[in-house]
Amino acid sequence: MNLSEHIKFSPKVEQAIKENRPVIALESTIISHGMPYPQNVETAIACENIAREHGVEPATIAIIQGKLCVGLTEKEIDYLGKTGLSVTKASRRDLPVLIARKQDGATTVAATMIIAAMAGIKVFATGGIGGVHRGAETTMDISADLEELAQTPVAVICAGAKSILDLGLTLEYLETKGIPVLGYKTDKLPAFFTNTSEFNVDYRMDSAQEIADTISAQRSLGFSGGMLIANPIPEEYAMDAKVIDKAIADAIEEAEQKGIHGKDTTPFLLAKIVEITGGNSLKANIQLVFNNVRLASEIATKLQF
Ligand code: PSU
Ligand code: MN
């Protein structure tokens, strides 16, 4: 089989691409493994609506019966949300197996970038990316998302990285791999639930146009990698740093005690943090994703095709 036989566009995304209208990618592990049901499905649908309000076609990406789907139906989104952790969390290594077995997979940032690039989509909004985990010097737990940013030409808009990760080491890794880290209206790397951290981004940019110009420049150089755009959670939705830091520390301790590792680590920590904060972290998470979809839509609109 060749590549085009593996990809399935939704009619709306196909039409938008044909008409040269802006399209942004959205991931699906955030639906199945990143949030509880039904908020996961409500958030995914709301994200699509926000993009459309900006005149941008959303392409939520997942693998359904072995097809790399670019654009999902509401039924498919609902299925991924309801099935939750029982859907395969699909990163780069999982794609060949899921295709061969004609199975379903919810795509991580890495896998979503791969499929977006195949579809010609340059901008992708998510919540948080995977990175270098705390303690990676012994566990070697470094997300495949970072390696993907190094090799796949898609700009990812996120709210920085959660402190379940080692933010300093994550930035070092991104620097080594030549991935620009841009802060939207900020000099500091936001820490997902909070809008700042002790770490600096590479460049502060105050307009979507400047970010779009930077993406265009990267593409015109023919570089293979992507870009990370860190968009701080709006102040009114940001969490208290002490509260969230304690929740994260407790979640990490429990994960260690239970021997959680590999691809289960991030979903376990995310769910634990929601539980410990009594759902407050989920509210913040939803709002920061909306905020990222808004910025991604503005950037996609301003990109020169
Ligand atoms: N971080 C979040 N929410 C998420 C994820 C990360 O705040 O939903 C998901 C994304 O799909 C990301 C994946 O690509 O987890 C990273 O998993 P791992 O750390 O196992 O690479
Ligand atoms: Mn990992």
Side-chain angles (χ1 to χ4, degrees):
M1 280 183 98
N2 62 34
L3 178 57
S4 64
E5 287 170 74
H6 296 308
I7 299 181
K8 188 178 152 197
F9 287 95
S10 72
K12 279 183 183 165
V13 172
E14 191 162 37
Q15 190 69 19
I17 291 174
K18 209 181 281 168
E19 291 170 6
N20 226 359
R21 283 189 282 119
V23 178
I24 61 166
L26 300 169
E27 61 148 317
S28 48
T29 293
I30 191 175
I31 305 174
S32 59
H33 290 66
M35 291 183 191
Y37 181 82
Q39 289 93 339
N40 53 2
V41 172
E42 289 161 11
T43 303
I45 305 273
C47 284
E48 294 203 337
N49 290 333
I50 291 169
R52 291 200 182 100
E53 281 159 21
H54 282 77
V56 172
E57 190 55 37
T60 304
I61 289 177
I63 302 157
I64 306 284
Q65 293 175 7
K67 292 286 178 212
L68 310 180
C69 293
V70 182
L72 300 181
T73 62
E74 284 204 15
K75 215 172 137 194
E76 286 165 335
I77 289 176
D78 192 67
Y79 157 74
L80 292 172
K82 264 196 191 127
T83 313
L85 300 182
S86 307
V87 177
T88 300
K89 174 181 163 188
S91 197
R92 172 177 276 268
R93 64 169 178 189
D94 306 286
L95 300 190
V97 179
L98 295 175
I99 289 172
R101 291 184 171 170
K102 298 190 169 46
Q103 288 177 344
D104 304 328
T107 49
T108 63
V109 168
T112 304
M113 287 178 74
I114 294 170
I115 299 167
M118 287 173 179
I121 300 170
K122 298 183 179 71
V123 180
F124 164 19
T126 185
I129 58 158
V132 180
H133 277 260
R134 291 198 209 167
E137 57 275 21
T138 49
T139 63
M140 290 186 68
D141 189 353
I142 300 173
S143 176
D145 291 352
L146 297 184
E147 213 53 48
E148 211 55 57
L149 280 160
Q151 59 181 312
T152 300
V154 175
V156 180
I157 290 82
C158 69
K162 284 199 181 64
S163 47
I164 59 172
L165 303 175
D166 186 317
L167 302 192
L169 293 186
T170 300
L171 285 173
E172 291 293 349
Y173 201 97
L174 291 164
E175 181 193 358
T176 302
K177 296 289 181 176
I179 302 153
V181 179
L182 312 182
Y184 181 61
K185 296 188 176 168
T186 181
D187 298 301
K188 296 287 176 192
L189 181 72
F192 199 85
F193 295 117
T194 57
N195 56 16
T196 190
S197 74
E198 61 185 290
F199 300 100
N200 293 326
V201 295
D202 300 331
Y203 296 95
R204 174 191 175 124
M205 293 201 178
D206 290 303
S207 74
Q209 184 66 60
E210 195 183 10
I211 296 171
D213 292 346
T214 309
I215 295 169
S216 293
Q218 191 188 39
R219 292 289 71 79
S220 62
L221 287 170
F223 284 3
S224 53
M227 195 175 295
L228 198 63
I229 294 122
N231 185 30
I233 183 171
E235 180 73 50
E236 63 268 37
Y237 300 115
M239 295 187 73
D240 184 273
K242 278 206 193 81
V243 171
I244 194 65
D245 286 349
K246 172 84 171 67
I248 289 171
D250 290 352
I252 290 175
E253 197 184 315
E254 188 168 337
E256 277 167 11
Q257 278 165 7
K258 292 197 161 141
I260 309 280
H261 64 274
K263 70 196 288 189
D264 297 332
T265 301
T266 299
F268 177 87
L269 294 174
L270 299 179
K272 244 318 140 210
I273 293 164
V274 172
E275 191 186 308
I276 295 170
T277 62
N280 284 339
S281 69
L282 180 59
K283 286 185 196 142
N285 198 347
I286 292 169
Q287 290 301 327
L288 67 84
V289 175
F290 291 166
N291 194 46
N292 294 342
V293 173
R294 282 191 288 267
L295 179 59
S297 298
E298 283 175 39
I299 294 168
T301 306
K302 293 187 160 59
L303 260 185
Q304 301 286 330
F305 287 93

PDB file of all heavy atoms in Angstrom, residues 89 131 133 140-144 262-263 265-266, ligand 2:
ATOM      1  N   LYS A  89      -3.018   4.420  23.040  1.00  0.00           N
ATOM      2  CA  LYS A  89      -2.355   5.735  22.972  1.00  0.00           C
ATOM      3  C   LYS A  89      -1.270   5.596  21.918  1.00  0.00           C
ATOM      4  O   LYS A  89      -0.304   4.862  22.106  1.00  0.00           O
ATOM      5  CB  LYS A  89      -1.772   6.062  24.352  1.00  0.00           C
ATOM      6  CG  LYS A  89      -0.943   7.324  24.397  1.00  0.00           C
ATOM      7  CD  LYS A  89      -0.392   7.536  25.811  1.00  0.00           C
ATOM      8  CE  LYS A  89       0.760   8.523  25.811  1.00  0.00           C
ATOM      9  NZ  LYS A  89       1.417   8.586  27.131  1.00  0.00           N
ATOM     10  N   GLY A 131       7.582  15.704  27.429  1.00  0.00           N
ATOM     11  CA  GLY A 131       8.939  16.252  27.483  1.00  0.00           C
ATOM     12  C   GLY A 131       9.861  15.348  28.270  1.00  0.00           C
ATOM     13  O   GLY A 131       9.623  14.133  28.354  1.00  0.00           O
ATOM     14  N   HIS A 133      10.910  13.871  31.511  1.00  0.00           N
ATOM     15  CA  HIS A 133      10.282  13.707  32.820  1.00  0.00           C
ATOM     16  C   HIS A 133      11.275  13.964  33.948  1.00  0.00           C
ATOM     17  O   HIS A 133      12.481  13.806  33.777  1.00  0.00           O
ATOM     18  CB  HIS A 133       9.706  12.290  32.967  1.00  0.00           C
ATOM     19  CG  HIS A 133       8.349  12.169  32.351  1.00  0.00           C
ATOM     20  ND1 HIS A 133       7.182  12.217  33.062  1.00  0.00           N
ATOM     21  CD2 HIS A 133       7.986  12.043  31.051  1.00  0.00           C
ATOM     22  CE1 HIS A 133       6.145  12.106  32.252  1.00  0.00           C
ATOM     23  NE2 HIS A 133       6.607  12.002  31.008  1.00  0.00           N
ATOM     24  N   MET A 140      15.216   7.489  31.954  1.00  0.00           N
ATOM     25  CA  MET A 140      15.307   7.763  30.511  1.00  0.00           C
ATOM     26  C   MET A 140      13.933   8.031  29.897  1.00  0.00           C
ATOM     27  O   MET A 140      13.728   7.822  28.701  1.00  0.00           O
ATOM     28  CB  MET A 140      16.036   6.637  29.763  1.00  0.00           C
ATOM     29  CG  MET A 140      17.498   6.628  30.104  1.00  0.00           C
ATOM     30  SD  MET A 140      18.487   5.475  29.171  1.00  0.00           S
ATOM     31  CE  MET A 140      18.434   6.158  27.535  1.00  0.00           C
ATOM     32  N   ASP A 141      12.988   8.511  30.707  1.00  0.00           N
ATOM     33  CA  ASP A 141      11.660   8.810  30.183  1.00  0.00           C
ATOM     34  C   ASP A 141      11.656  10.193  29.529  1.00  0.00           C
ATOM     35  O   ASP A 141      11.511  11.212  30.192  1.00  0.00           O
ATOM     36  CB  ASP A 141      10.611   8.730  31.306  1.00  0.00           C
ATOM     37  CG  ASP A 141       9.195   8.819  30.762  1.00  0.00           C
ATOM     38  OD1 ASP A 141       9.023   9.080  29.549  1.00  0.00           O
ATOM     39  OD2 ASP A 141       8.245   8.621  31.548  1.00  0.00           O
ATOM     40  N   ILE A 142      11.858  10.168  28.236  1.00  0.00           N
ATOM     41  CA  ILE A 142      11.830  11.391  27.422  1.00  0.00           C
ATOM     42  C   ILE A 142      10.793  11.161  26.339  1.00  0.00           C
ATOM     43  O   ILE A 142      10.884  10.194  25.580  1.00  0.00           O
ATOM     44  CB  ILE A 142      13.214  11.676  26.805  1.00  0.00           C
ATOM     45  CG1 ILE A 142      14.254  11.860  27.920  1.00  0.00           C
ATOM     46  CG2 ILE A 142      13.148  12.902  25.889  1.00  0.00           C
ATOM     47  CD1 ILE A 142      15.681  11.983  27.411  1.00  0.00           C
ATOM     48  N   SER A 143       9.791  12.037  26.281  1.00  0.00           N
ATOM     49  CA  SER A 143       8.688  11.824  25.338  1.00  0.00           C
ATOM     50  C   SER A 143       9.151  11.829  23.884  1.00  0.00           C
ATOM     51  O   SER A 143       9.994  12.645  23.484  1.00  0.00           O
ATOM     52  CB  SER A 143       7.639  12.916  25.529  1.00  0.00           C
ATOM     53  OG  SER A 143       6.623  12.783  24.568  1.00  0.00           O
ATOM     54  N   ALA A 144       8.540  10.953  23.108  1.00  0.00           N
ATOM     55  CA  ALA A 144       8.778  10.944  21.660  1.00  0.00           C
ATOM     56  C   ALA A 144       8.297  12.242  21.013  1.00  0.00           C
ATOM     57  O   ALA A 144       8.671  12.548  19.873  1.00  0.00           O
ATOM     58  CB  ALA A 144       8.073   9.741  21.027  1.00  0.00           C
ATOM     59  N   GLY A 262       6.614   4.092  31.548  1.00  0.00           N
ATOM     60  CA  GLY A 262       6.371   4.078  30.101  1.00  0.00           C
ATOM     61  C   GLY A 262       5.202   4.967  29.712  1.00  0.00           C
ATOM     62  O   GLY A 262       4.975   6.014  30.314  1.00  0.00           O
ATOM     63  N   LYS A 263       4.426   4.510  28.730  1.00  0.00           N
ATOM     64  CA  LYS A 263       3.360   5.349  28.185  1.00  0.00           C
ATOM     65  C   LYS A 263       2.223   5.584  29.177  1.00  0.00           C
ATOM     66  O   LYS A 263       1.379   6.462  28.953  1.00  0.00           O
ATOM     67  CB  LYS A 263       2.829   4.739  26.881  1.00  0.00           C
ATOM     68  CG  LYS A 263       2.041   3.456  27.073  1.00  0.00           C
ATOM     69  CD  LYS A 263       1.873   2.686  25.776  1.00  0.00           C
ATOM     70  CE  LYS A 263       0.909   3.333  24.824  1.00  0.00           C
ATOM     71  NZ  LYS A 263       0.609   2.446  23.670  1.00  0.00           N
ATOM     72  N   THR A 265       2.639   6.636  32.252  1.00  0.00           N
ATOM     73  CA  THR A 265       3.003   7.642  33.250  1.00  0.00           C
ATOM     74  C   THR A 265       2.199   8.930  33.081  1.00  0.00           C
ATOM     75  O   THR A 265       1.541   9.388  34.027  1.00  0.00           O
ATOM     76  CB  THR A 265       4.514   7.966  33.165  1.00  0.00           C
ATOM     77  OG1 THR A 265       5.225   6.749  33.379  1.00  0.00           O
ATOM     78  CG2 THR A 265       4.920   8.974  34.224  1.00  0.00           C
ATOM     79  N   THR A 266       2.242   9.525  31.883  1.00  0.00           N
ATOM     80  CA  THR A 266       1.572  10.818  31.693  1.00  0.00           C
ATOM     81  C   THR A 266       0.059  10.726  31.960  1.00  0.00           C
ATOM     82  O   THR A 266      -0.454  11.526  32.755  1.00  0.00           O
ATOM     83  CB  THR A 266       1.905  11.399  30.296  1.00  0.00           C
ATOM     84  OG1 THR A 266       3.326  11.599  30.235  1.00  0.00           O
ATOM     85  CG2 THR A 266       1.204  12.712  30.044  1.00  0.00           C
TER      86      THR A 266
HETATM   87 MN    MN B   2       7.286   8.635  28.316  1.00  0.00          MN
END
